[in-house]
Amino acid sequence: MTGLAAAFGSGAMTNSIEDLTTQAKSYLIIGSNTTEQHPVIGMRLRQAAKRGAKLIVADPRKTKITDFAVMHLQHKPGSDIALLNSLMNVLIAEDLYDKEFVANRTEGFDELKACVAKYTPEYAEKITGVSAEDVRKAARLLAANKPGALIYAMGITQHVTGHQNVLSTANLQMLLGNMGVPGGGVNPLRGQSNVQGACDMGCLPNFYPAYQKVVDEPAHTKFVEAWGNAASLTPGLTIVEMMNAAHSGKLKAMFVLGENPMMSDPDLNHVREALNTLDFLVVQDIFMNETAELADVVLPGASFAEKDGTNTNTERRVQRVRKAIEPLGDSKPDWVILCDLFKRVEARLGTDRSKGKFASWDYESPKAILAEINAVAPSYGGITWERIENVGLQWPCPNTEHPGTQFLHAGKFTRGLGKFHAVEWMPPAEEPDEKYPFVLTTGRVLFHFHGGTMSRRSAGLNAIYPEGKVEIHPQDATKLGVADGELVRVSSRRGEVVAKAEVVEKADPGVIFMTFHFKEAAANLLTIAALDPVAKIPEYKVAAVRVEKV
Ligand SMILES: Nc1nc2c(c(=O)[nH]1)N[C@H]1C(S)=C(S)[C@@H](COP(=O)(O)OP(=O)(O)OC[C@H]3O[C@@H](n4cnc5c(=O)[nH]c(N)nc54)[C@H](O)[C@@H]3O)O[C@H]1N2
Ligand SMILES: Nc1nc2c(c(=O)[nH]1)N[C@H]1C(S)=C(S)[C@@H](COP(=O)(O)OP(=O)(O)OC[C@H]3O[C@@H](n4cnc5c(=O)[nH]c(N)nc54)[C@H](O)[C@@H]3O)O[C@H]1N2
Ligand SMILES: [Mo]
């Protein structure tokens, strides 16, 4: 998210699902298991392939979408920059790039050119494992089929170079002249239903709502006036940084809202120690989960089906959520619990709401909260409760006459000229060695959601996909003497897990895959908490592990 924010000023899909899936002539799907993780968009991409659009998939594993692709570039985990730079190397060497776009809309081309010069397809092949011939073929296909859309997800971001990976995808799309046009763009598919809205509303340590910077004096003054707060001008910590601060005793209390770090954070043994070191832990969730088990207080929130509000989806569209049933038991909508709590702890938070323009915590309804958002978040200015009664609106939408924005960067980037960044490939934080010879990459399957708190309560899903597995290549399985369905022990420098092997030709030999859905086989006992220095995202996609037959 923050990667694209740095490049273009916001972390969102530049285009819309509609133009993306109907107007592109080619797609580079890189690090997105679209069929399983974004099934609606995945289905539309299959339809796009049927109308003749060229799908190129870059993924270390054979995912379902590769069945519809004209090419599958099966690169090594953590080698994305080398792959992208080699595609750009070919575009420049063979004079296939969009010279007009580069001249009129961008800056920094000379630096980019100098940087990618080294990444000849032959040189990159040594890093990525993708043949030089395939790289040339893919680059030519992308140049010959425009507009082309680039789609990425966690395979790009969950690396110590996540932020640079994102810049690299933007470099490629600018070089191809695929920005600011329908059927083009750089499109991160957002994950959770309202993660886009949460980021837009300032659930990030460095931003107020609508990406107004915490360190910016005018933004700070604006929010002090709005909320009567005395907030700091210094950005806060990100989640893994918080866990580290808790571990070292610097952070004393934590409030966890709709998150289950005891399943989803890297290096769970470290997370458990960190949470146990806290003086006070509060968890607000719709279910008891692994994190709530460690909490001093658990506050019962109401689920999406029990409350009104809005969600902002992956294409920046703000849509209404409507209550279907009354909250069960003692649960309340999250905003009600939070407002009750803030009223009680206001003095300690160093805030005095009564001094602000929006003087009260006593909102009548989510509609009143949206009215406040309209007033303080410029890109949401015109997205009023009434206007989204039937169909949602896409931000930026600054006023009530504005129709919303289908795709970003038409004619001009937010920052003026689009900037090429010279990005060098760097190896992952932990590479395989004699003791830990395999690369573990982690992710998801269709049938479960993250830590399984919700999906493992569904009898149907459990019947189809009851337990965690370790995907392993037949060659490796033979070497280890392991048959499909037999137990293996996977260990890293941080922990170990025992689970059934799924012997399958998806990743290359030497690469295994696990999900983080199952507490009995929790992949995050193994993962490394190495962070991207800018976006602070952990390297969930690469860890060195050992695999043994049990
Ligand atoms: N059913 C279901 N749907 C979901 C979710 C869920 O848990 N279950 N979670 C939601 C959320 S929050 C998110 S963020 C999205 C995530 O959606 P995705 O990012 O699509 O899912 P992942 O499985 O994390 O990883 C995507 C792909 O990255 C590949 N990959 C691994 N290492 C690398 C690498 O080094 N480079 C590249 N290019 N690719 C690599 C993996 O093989 C995998 O196919 O899904 C959302 N949708
Ligand atoms: N190894 C590995 N780890 C990963 C990833 C990976 O690819 N590999 N992906 C990472 C990514 S992209 C993500 S997004 C995270 C996800 O990590 P988490 O967000 O920690 O995962 P969830 O299981 O979705 O946890 C959400 C919690 O919110 C609760 N909940 C649901 N609805 C509501 C509500 O309305 N109110 C409240 N209060 N609670 C609610 C659920 O019961 C659940 O306990 O995992 C990350 N961890
Ligand atoms: Mo996510």
Side-chain angles (χ1 to χ4, degrees), residues 259-376:
E259 180 113 4
N260 186 12
M262 269 307 295
M263 286 295 288
S264 59
D265 267 22
D267 193 358
L268 292 181
N269 287 321
H270 175 84
V271 174
R272 184 183 304 103
E273 284 169 20
L275 294 176
N276 283 334
T277 308
L278 290 169
D279 291 343
F280 188 51
L281 173 64
V282 185
V283 169
Q284 179 168 323
D285 207 280
I286 60 172
F287 291 120
M288 265 315 274
N289 62 22
E290 289 70 19
T291 309
E293 280 166 21
L294 304 180
D296 299 289
V297 178
V298 180
L299 300 169
S303 74
F304 72 96
E306 302 160 296
K307 60 193 177 197
D308 288 317
T310 64
N311 267 9
T312 306
N313 79 356
T314 189
E315 57 169 6
R316 295 169 277 105
R317 189 182 298 280
V318 186
Q319 316 186 94
R320 290 272 292 276
V321 176
R322 290 176 172 84
K323 179 161 85 173
I325 55 169
E326 288 303 318
L328 297 175
D330 293 333
S331 69
K332 289 181 188 163
D334 291 307
W335 68 270
V336 174
I337 303 176
L338 290 177
C339 290
D340 281 354
L341 194 76
F342 292 158
K343 272 193 274 188
R344 288 175 170 82
V345 297
E346 186 150 59
R348 295 207 177 196
L349 287 176
T351 63
D352 182 357
R353 192 75 180 192
S354 66
K355 288 197 189 132
K357 207 161 129 197
F358 300 94
S360 167
W361 288 113
D362 294 310
Y363 297 100
E364 245 167 55
S365 66
K367 184 178 166 186
I369 299 176
L370 186 60
E372 185 175 317
I373 293 170
N374 298 150
V376 299

Side-chain angles (χ1 to χ4, degrees), residues 82 87 101 340 397 401 429 459 497 518 544:
L87 289 169
F101 187 91
D340 281 354
C397 177
E401 276 73 56
V497 165
F518 296 88

Side-chain angles (χ1 to χ4, degrees), residues 31 51 117 130 185 199 240-241 266 276 288 318 374 440 451 459 465 518 525 542:
R51 72 169 152 78
V130 176
C199 292
V240 174
E241 292 174 316
N276 283 334
M288 265 315 274
V318 186
N374 298 150
L440 165 71
Y465 205 102
F518 296 88
L525 285 167
V542 187

Side-chain angles (χ1 to χ4, degrees), residues 137-201:
K137 196 174 145 199
R140 289 170 195 151
L141 264 170
L142 293 172
N145 293 278
K146 294 204 291 190
L150 187 142
I151 292 174
Y152 74 81
M154 295 301 118
I156 278 292
T157 51
Q158 292 175 339
H159 294 280
V160 286
T161 57
H163 158 256
Q164 282 147 306
N165 287 1
V166 171
L167 293 177
S168 196
T169 62
N171 284 342
L172 176 68
Q173 285 298 70
M174 290 196 292
L175 198 60
L176 284 163
N178 275 334
M179 296 300 291
V181 287
V186 175
N187 300 283
L189 303 182
R190 304 308 305 257
Q192 287 153 315
S193 50
N194 194 32
V195 64
Q196 183 67 54
C199 292
D200 298 347
M201 289 307 106

Side-chain angles (χ1 to χ4, degrees), residues 328-447:
L328 297 175
D330 293 333
S331 69
K332 289 181 188 163
D334 291 307
W335 68 270
V336 174
I337 303 176
L338 290 177
C339 290
D340 281 354
L341 194 76
F342 292 158
K343 272 193 274 188
R344 288 175 170 82
V345 297
E346 186 150 59
R348 295 207 177 196
L349 287 176
T351 63
D352 182 357
R353 192 75 180 192
S354 66
K355 288 197 189 132
K357 207 161 129 197
F358 300 94
S360 167
W361 288 113
D362 294 310
Y363 297 100
E364 245 167 55
S365 66
K367 184 178 166 186
I369 299 176
L370 186 60
E372 185 175 317
I373 293 170
N374 298 150
V376 299
S379 55
Y380 276 66
I383 307 182
T384 60
W385 194 259
E386 291 76 17
R387 289 188 78 199
I388 56 171
E389 168 72 32
N390 296 317
V391 182
L393 283 166
Q394 287 171 286
W395 66 257
C397 177
N399 57 59
T400 47
E401 276 73 56
H402 196 283
T405 305
Q406 197 181 356
F407 56 99
L408 302 176
H409 313 305
K412 191 166 143 309
F413 292 107
T414 316
R415 67 181 296 278
L417 292 175
K419 185 164 168 45
F420 283 115
H421 290 85
V423 184
E424 293 285 351
W425 172 78
M426 277 191 322
E430 194 179 57
E431 293 196 278
D433 55 21
E434 258 177 43
K435 206 162 172 225
Y436 298 99
F438 283 87
V439 170
L440 165 71
T441 190
T442 65
R444 307 155 160 82
V445 293
L446 174 66
F447 301 105

Side-chain angles (χ1 to χ4, degrees), residues 30-34 36-39 58-61 63 75-80 152-156 158-159 189-192 441-450 513 516-517 541-542:
I30 182 161
S32 155
N33 179 0
T34 327
E36 294 194 69
Q37 275 20 102
H38 294 89
D59 196 299
R61 294 162 60 233
T63 55
H75 59 311
K76 296 204 172 94
S79 69
D80 293 273
Y152 74 81
M154 295 301 118
I156 278 292
Q158 292 175 339
H159 294 280
L189 303 182
R190 304 308 305 257
Q192 287 153 315
T441 190
T442 65
R444 307 155 160 82
V445 293
L446 174 66
F447 301 105
H448 284 284
F449 198 78
H450 302 159
F513 173 81
F516 62 111
H517 302 314
K541 294 291 185 256
V542 187

Side-chain angles (χ1 to χ4, degrees), residues 45-292:
L45 290 177
R46 294 203 296 276
Q47 290 166 346
K50 283 198 180 145
R51 72 169 152 78
K54 307 276 183 279
L55 261 59
I56 300 176
V57 177
D59 196 299
R61 294 162 60 233
K62 242 182 232 96
T63 55
K64 295 202 173 112
I65 195 84
T66 59
D67 292 346
F68 298 82
V70 291
M71 290 189 79
H72 177 202
L73 309 173
Q74 194 161 3
H75 59 311
K76 296 204 172 94
S79 69
D80 293 273
I81 291 171
L83 180 68
L84 290 161
N85 276 352
S86 67
L87 289 169
M88 290 184 258
N89 176 292
V90 175
L91 292 174
I92 294 172
E94 299 189 2
D95 216 25
L96 297 173
Y97 68 98
D98 189 331
K99 279 175 223 68
E100 204 184 310
F101 187 91
V102 168
N104 299 331
R105 297 281 311 274
T106 69
E107 60 187 11
F109 175 69
D110 292 339
E111 289 85 344
L112 177 84
K113 189 175 168 184
C115 168
V116 303
K118 180 170 96 197
Y119 294 84
T120 60
E122 284 74 17
Y123 171 76
E125 179 173 350
K126 293 188 204 112
I127 303 169
T128 64
V130 176
S131 76
E133 195 190 325
D134 275 359
V135 167
R136 291 205 168 85
K137 196 174 145 199
R140 289 170 195 151
L141 264 170
L142 293 172
N145 293 278
K146 294 204 291 190
L150 187 142
I151 292 174
Y152 74 81
M154 295 301 118
I156 278 292
T157 51
Q158 292 175 339
H159 294 280
V160 286
T161 57
H163 158 256
Q164 282 147 306
N165 287 1
V166 171
L167 293 177
S168 196
T169 62
N171 284 342
L172 176 68
Q173 285 298 70
M174 290 196 292
L175 198 60
L176 284 163
N178 275 334
M179 296 300 291
V181 287
V186 175
N187 300 283
L189 303 182
R190 304 308 305 257
Q192 287 153 315
S193 50
N194 194 32
V195 64
Q196 183 67 54
C199 292
D200 298 347
M201 289 307 106
C203 291
L204 290 165
N206 47 344
F207 290 115
Y208 284 113
Y211 306 98
Q212 300 173 81
K213 288 198 184 102
V214 163
V215 294
D216 240 17
E217 284 281 2
H220 182 252
T221 309
K222 170 178 171 177
F223 284 97
V224 169
E225 281 168 11
W227 296 335
N229 68 4
S232 158
L233 274 160
T234 315
L237 300 179
T238 59
I239 180 156
V240 174
E241 292 174 316
M242 283 186 224
M243 287 301 167
N244 291 338
H247 200 267
S248 64
K250 276 193 219 117
L251 196 142
K252 306 281 184 202
M254 203 182 278
F255 192 114
V256 179
L257 174 67
E259 180 113 4
N260 186 12
M262 269 307 295
M263 286 295 288
S264 59
D265 267 22
D267 193 358
L268 292 181
N269 287 321
H270 175 84
V271 174
R272 184 183 304 103
E273 284 169 20
L275 294 176
N276 283 334
T277 308
L278 290 169
D279 291 343
F280 188 51
L281 173 64
V282 185
V283 169
Q284 179 168 323
D285 207 280
I286 60 172
F287 291 120
M288 265 315 274
N289 62 22
E290 289 70 19
T291 309

